[in-house]
Every structure is written in structure tokens, then in C-alpha cells.
Amino acid sequence: MEHVPALDEDLKKTLGPATAKVLAEQLGLHTALDLLHHYPRKYAERGELTALTELADQLDEHVTVVAQVADARILTFNGGRGKRLEVTITDGNGRLQLVFFGAGVHKPHKDLLPGTRAMFAGKVGMFNRKLQLSHPAYEPLGADAADQDAATAFAGRLIPIYPACAKLESWKIAKCVDAVLPSARETVDPLPPALREGRGLLPLTEALLKIHRPATKADVEDARQRLKWDEAFVLQIALARRRHADSQLPAVPRRPAPGGLLDAFDAKLPFTLTEGQQTVSKEIFDDLATDHPMHRLLQGEVGSGKTMVALRAMLAVVDCGGQAAMLAPTEVLAQQHHRSVTEMMGDLAEGGMLGGSDRGTKVVLLTGSMGMPARRQALLDLVTGEAGIVIGTHALIEDKVQFHDLGLVVVDEQHRFGVEQRDALRSKGKQPPHLLVMTATPIPRTVAMTVFGDLETSVLDQLPAGRSPIATHVVPAKDKPHFLARAWERVREEVEKGHQAYVVCPRIGDEEAADPKKKSAEADGDNGDKRPPLAVLEIAEELRRGPLAGLSVEVLHGRMDPADKDDVMRRFAAGEVKVLVATTVIEVGVNVPNSTVMVIMDADRFGVSQLHQLRGRVGRGSAPGLCLLVSEMHEASPARARLAAVAATLDGFELSRIDLEQRREGDVLGQAQSGVRSSLRMLAVIDDEEVITQAREEATRVVAEDPELERLPGLKLALDALLDTEREQYLEKG
């Protein structure tokens, strides 16, 4: 009887140690089940050839193409001592060159005769301004193929093209999949039978067979629909269980006192709140009045007034005897928030102090770098309840920080707590405090449902009155150096009008001292650009000596002493410093309405959402804002297309869609940057809104009826597989 690999069996047993090692190290595939969920990226048909014209966007990527040999010739060089085989392949529209060198030319010369159809796999390179694959692996698909088995296997059916790597081509992965495919019949179906039948979805075993070995395009579509549902549903079950658990926790209802601190604050406001701010505030106040903890995500455009909404929520909690803590990701941001909150509150932020309002409270700052006397006083004010509001960094989470009655935690910039941090902060309340998470990175609705599905969502999409439009332009520094000279002239013109400017660079410039290895790594650059990214310290010096000579130019970056950072920010806010050359430390929360122009150097090295965030630092007053994106990338490059998209719109939600599509989503469970494979292999959070919405509704219903999933062992199993320790911690955040 044939050996059917167990789903959790190590691939070494089935495929041998060498192949298993490559699958594990290069593709993160360890078991038969992992390999079954490594789905083909696309399918080629016998007789239908892959578009070679698409390869220009895939420079330096490993690709698999199906094409036909147009011609092949051996050329000699070095006086006949060296040999090079050049093969041209075509799909009827585009042509691509393959090159083989040295002793390796004879076999491909014999195999790749004109007219031969084959699969080719290799890294897309550029030589003499032409795309080429150097020493690609290949698998002939014709009747004249050397490997008759491969030809027979692929004859007359769809050819799966798998995400592959240099050491293991797509067709070799296909053979590995063949070895574990029999174990697909052992899979446990996670979907409740009624749901599966009601939606007309394939059984899981059938879906896995059809996705890997489809007979028709309809097979592929049916399998995809089923596998998308699995991913959306299991993920939404995890989030629904999180929401359900939160709804079972007790909390103290917090209702603002009539004629109290909130009313006094509102009466002082020199402007009226936008309609959006009023609507969102009502949602928050309704949540705060319930006896289980609020878990709300407040997302809004840069400058839409989120801090004002959060402050009013904090004042409402202080009104009824509670305390509120605002957690910021950096010291610069914590200091900035503390400054703007105390300014907005005026004498209401001086409760118990001489000249303070009798309805006021104390607003304290707590960061890791504070001096001991100030820190001791802040801790005392918190434990006695003297301070109603504390704004700080992760220093707030330390054991020695105790609250009199913590009622609300506001987390700025989506830095969701880890399990330990959240529990540490929660445990500081007599009962779990209410939670408000803020982000200035607009998140499309589907992503919010998928990533922040354990939080209710409020959106601020109006800008307060008095905000000015921001014009954005790309400055092609290499093609048109005079454009860059003009950019510095524009900075000078704005300063002469009494305004201020930011210049942003991707690097600090003192890394050699901090880490000599880093410099050499950076020298390798990305995007084919061999120079390291431009640095704050170097650019500041160039500007002082050159185009901005005579203006007060200062630097700000994360490795500066906190007191120096605060001093520079204070002087910039006061208008003493005219040009601030900084890293992305200014990305969020920094509010200097007099700043009207921002120049972003090496703009192609920043993400779309990050550029949008940075741009939001200008145009915060009555004068119009200007953002200049400086890049040396070629006009036709994807990087320049990205910059053009940022220049074309101020709509953060539109940009976040573009950003997500370009980053290919990463892992929505937080592993995008760590190299862990995405938990979403089939579901595209931007395109599959309908599936995600329906899965969320079904998941909420299932969890309400059976929170522990006792009646659905298959679903419980799938959930356990999804929530390995790291991902579980990610979902626990919030």
C-alpha cells in the first residue's frame, strides 16, 4: 500500500533531507500540510504562452515563464577560448534573452532547439539595457522533451506555476506537491457543514486537489473561492472570540459630570468641532458609559483633529473621578502631546496649582529619560489621583507606576501593546480600563476588519476649518538637477516670508560610529542604487554651507540626547530654527503650523503611507503647504510611479490602497516585516471585501452560539494552527 504522509509529518521523511531543507529555509515549508497550502501563483496552459512583457516590473525577482525558443546560437569570445550560448524565447508579443556560459552551454544548446516549448526559471537581470535570464533552469514541455514523464504529466492540462526560489524551481515544487497530495484526504474541514453547503463551497479535500491539479479554469475558480473562505473565516473567528472575551470583562461606566471639566473645556474652545469630531465623540462617550471596556480604533487623516477627540474622552473620564493615560511611541511625540494638551487646556491643566482652575486637573509627563525629581513627583501625582491625565512613553507600563483609578488608556499611532504590556497596563486599573487606539494612517475598511477586527472603528475624514491644501511635486534630481536647485530656492522663499521648513532624510549619518557593518550593508543599497541613503548630518552640513547658507539649520534624530531633542523642537516651534533637517522622527504628532514646506530626500526609500504621514506636517496653518519628493530613480521605475501616486492625491485612504497593493499585503497578522510567510495565501484583503464582510458576520454568529467552539473541532484545530504563539500575541494586542 502506498505511503500517505501524515499532515504534520516532517517533509524529510517524504522528500528526503536535501529537498526538505531547501523548502524549510527558502519557503518556510516544514510539513505536508504546509506544502498543501503552498498554492500555485498562476497557471500556464499548453498552447498559451506567458506574457514576457510583464517582466520589466520584476527586475531581480525569481520568475517562471512558459515560452517557445525562437533561436539559439553559440558565440565565442577571448579569442575563441570562451563560449556563450544566447537563446531567444518568445510568447508572440515579447522576447527575452537567456544566456549560458562556459562548459554549461552544450546541454541547453542540444535541448533548446528553435520551436521547443519549455518552462524557464531564473532571476530577471538587465544587460546592455535588455532583460535577460542568466543560466536559467528549464523543463521542456514538448513531445521531443528529454523528460517524457514531465511532458506526459503536463500534456493537455493547466500547468501550475508555484512561488519558487533559486534552489528549487516551480516544476520541482510541483513534484514535491505530488508526493504529499494523497494526504489531502486526511485534512479536517474547518467550515461548519451548514455554512459550507449553504454557500455552495467545495469540501476542503476537493479544493486542495483542484487548486494543485486543476483540469479546467473552473476548477481553479471553485478551489480559490473555497480556500479564500477558509482564510477569511478562521481569521474572523479569532477576532470574534477576542471581541466576545472583551465583552465579558467588567468596566466602570464613565459619564462626564454636567458643568464639569469637559463642559469648561468646551466653553473655552475658540472654534467649533467638525461634524465628524462631534459624531465620533458621541460614539466614544456612548462606549465609555457602558459597563464593559470600550475597544475602539479612531482613524483619521493627518490633521483631522484626532488628538482633540481623544482629549475630550480623557476629560470625560477625569470628570467622573477617573484617570486617563496616553501612550505615545516616542519621547518626541510624548513631549509634543503634553505640550499641545496643556496649551489647549490652559488653566484647566493646572488643577490644585496656584492660578489653576478649581475645575481643572493636573496633566503630567512621564518618559524614560526624565530626571529623578520630576519623575518622582509625576509618580506621586498619579498614585494620589492629583494628576487626572498622564502622557508618556512605554515608561508608563513599568511596575512602579501606580494609578489612583485608571479609567481610560489612549494609544497613539497604532502601536498596539504586546500581551504583557497590555496586561501590565490593564492591571493598573481596579477594573479593566477603556481603550482607544488612534492611527493617522488611513486603513481601508477591509483591512480594518481584518487587522483591527477586535476593535470597533470610528473614522474622521473631515479636516478642521483653517487647514490649507498641500501641493506635492516629484523632483527628479538626476534627470533634472536644476529642479533640485529650484527646490532649495523655494525653501529660502518660504523662510523669507516668515515661514519654516522640514528636510527629511532616510538615515542619520553617524551609523559608522554606531555600527561599522551597517555602512557596508547600506552601501549595497536597494533599487540597484549603490550609494547609501542620504543622511541628516551630511545634508544639514551641505545646506548650511551651500543653498541655505545664512539660515538657521538644525538637526533632529532619534539618537540625540532627549534634552537636546526637546530643546530643538521647542526652538523650532517658537520659530527660532528656520529649517529642521530630520529623520522620520517627525512623522507623527509634530505640530508647527508655521511650517509650510517639506523636502523629502531619497523619497523613493519611504513607503506610500509614510510619505503621506510626513507630508501632513506642513499646511497645518493658514498658509498653503508644499511637499517636494526628491528622487534619483529613473522616470520609468516602479519607485517613481509610487511617488507620482503620492503627488497625485491627498486622499490617505486611496494611498493606503495603493500602498497595500504594492506591498502585496505582507501578513495581516503582523508578520509583514519578519519574513514569516503570510497567513493569507489566497485572500486579498483589498479585492475580497465581500468574502471578508460575510465571514465576519458568520464568525460573530458562530462565536455567539459556541464561544469555545466545542461543537466544531475542525474549526478549533484550524484556529490553533493559525494562532501559533507569535500570532496569538499579535491578536491579543488591542
Side-chain angles (χ1 to χ4, degrees), residues 122-133:
K123 197 181 199 181
V124 182
M126 183 81 85
F127 182 70
N128 280 346
R129 303 184 78 87
K130 278 188 181 169
L131 291 175
Q132 69 171 28
L133 299 185

Side-chain angles (χ1 to χ4, degrees), residues 306-308 310-311 314 326-345 363-365 389-392 410-413 438 566 588-591 617 620:
K306 293 181 299 300
T307 309
M308 173 60 72
L311 176 55
M314 294 196 286
M326 181 186 253
L327 185 66
T330 65
E331 294 211 353
V332 167
L333 193 49
Q335 288 159 346
Q336 180 80 28
H337 276 318
H338 181 254
R339 211 165 19 247
S340 59
V341 164
T342 49
E343 280 166 14
M344 283 194 274
M345 288 176 65
V363 179
V364 300
L365 176 70
I389 294 176
V390 59
I391 296 167
V410 178
V411 184
D412 192 22
E413 260 327 291
M438 297 198 298
D566 199 35
V588 287
V590 173
N591 184 24
R617 301 302 109 211
R620 299 175 81 86

Side-chain angles (χ1 to χ4, degrees), residues 245-288:
D246 287 336
S247 71
Q248 305 303 304
L249 293 169
V252 178
R254 310 279 177 173
R255 296 181 184 85
L261 180 56
L262 179 62
D263 285 351
F265 175 76
D266 284 350
K268 282 168 67 95
L269 283 179
F271 52 82
T272 52
L273 298 174
T274 65
E275 197 182 319
Q277 285 175 316
Q278 291 174 27
T279 305
V280 170
S281 289
K282 184 182 183 310
E283 290 172 350
I284 291 170
F285 291 151
D286 289 349
D287 282 358
L288 290 173

Side-chain angles (χ1 to χ4, degrees), residues 53-59 126 129 131 474 476 478-479 527 604 631-644 662:
T53 47
E54 294 168 12
L55 296 181
D57 297 335
Q58 293 175 285
L59 204 59
M126 183 81 85
R129 303 184 78 87
L131 291 175
V474 178
K478 208 168 199 169
D479 311 345
N527 298 332
D604 46 90
S631 172
E632 292 188 357
M633 297 306 288
H634 189 271
E635 192 173 1
S637 65
R640 278 284 291 278
R642 205 168 66 229
L643 297 183
Q662 290 185 336

Side-chain angles (χ1 to χ4, degrees), residues 461-478:
D461 49 13
Q462 285 173 294
L463 291 187
R467 278 303 170 90
S468 299
I470 305 168
T472 308
H473 302 285
V474 178
V475 178
K478 208 168 199 169

Side-chain angles (χ1 to χ4, degrees), residues 31 34 102 116 156 271 306 324 336 368 385 418 437 585 595 610 644 650:
T31 65
D34 288 344
T116 305
F271 52 82
K306 293 181 299 300
Q336 180 80 28
V437 178
V585 69
S595 302
Q610 200 172 25
L650 288 170

Side-chain angles (χ1 to χ4, degrees), residues 34-253:
D34 288 344
L35 194 47
L36 286 175
H37 287 300
H38 186 69
Y39 308 131
R41 200 161 37 87
K42 57 182 180 178
Y43 302 84
E45 279 183 275
R46 225 175 120 61
E48 175 202 78
L49 302 177
T50 309
L52 298 179
T53 47
E54 294 168 12
L55 296 181
D57 297 335
Q58 293 175 285
L59 204 59
D60 285 338
E61 285 190 28
H62 198 85
V63 299
T64 304
V65 296
V66 175
Q68 190 160 332
V69 176
D71 67 67
R73 56 201 174 126
I74 288 183
L75 305 173
T76 57
F77 55 94
N78 275 356
R81 290 195 299 280
K83 284 186 180 172
R84 179 168 84 244
L85 170 65
E86 288 185 359
V87 178
T88 305
I89 57 172
T90 180
D91 61 0
N93 294 316
R95 291 166 88 81
L96 179 68
Q97 194 162 19
L98 317 177
V99 290
F100 301 85
F101 293 100
V105 302
H106 299 294
K107 187 171 187 323
H109 192 220
K110 195 165 66 152
D111 294 342
L112 301 176
L113 300 171
T116 305
R117 183 171 295 145
M119 280 196 284
F120 302 93
K123 197 181 199 181
V124 182
M126 183 81 85
F127 182 70
N128 280 346
R129 303 184 78 87
K130 278 188 181 169
L131 291 175
Q132 69 171 28
L133 299 185
S134 181
H135 274 284
Y138 58 89
E139 180 87 341
L141 299 176
D144 56 345
D147 185 346
Q148 284 301 325
D149 290 346
T152 313
F154 292 127
R157 74 159 71 164
L158 294 168
I159 304 165
I161 308 290
Y162 286 92
C165 59
K167 293 184 179 174
L168 210 59
E169 296 84 14
S170 170
W171 53 88
K172 289 183 183 166
I173 293 173
K175 287 173 183 170
C176 296
V177 170
D178 284 337
V180 301
L181 213 47
S183 63
R185 62 182 98 119
E186 308 294 319
T187 53
V188 181
D189 203 316
L191 294 191
L195 188 158
R196 184 173 65 70
E197 286 154 20
R199 295 195 172 272
L201 297 167
L202 295 180
L204 180 57
T205 298
E206 195 180 328
L208 288 170
L209 292 172
K210 283 186 170 173
I211 200 75
H212 288 292
R213 298 296 173 261
T216 63
K217 287 181 177 173
D219 282 354
V220 175
E221 198 42 48
D222 291 346
R224 277 189 172 146
Q225 285 310 317
R226 164 62 216 248
L227 296 167
K228 276 180 184 181
W229 249 93
D230 279 19
E231 288 177 7
F233 184 65
V234 175
L235 180 55
Q236 292 301 334
I237 285 284
L239 294 163
R241 289 185 75 202
R242 177 88 219 126
R243 289 195 301 276
H244 182 268
D246 287 336
S247 71
Q248 305 303 304
L249 293 169
V252 178

Side-chain angles (χ1 to χ4, degrees), residues 511-538:
E511 289 85 350
E512 304 88 281
D515 183 0
K517 284 184 200 156
K518 191 166 179 201
K519 180 136 200 250
S520 62
E522 274 176 339
D524 294 338
D526 54 8
N527 298 332
D529 183 355
K530 291 301 177 199
R531 69 160 171 77
L534 294 172
V536 166
L537 300 178
E538 292 152 18

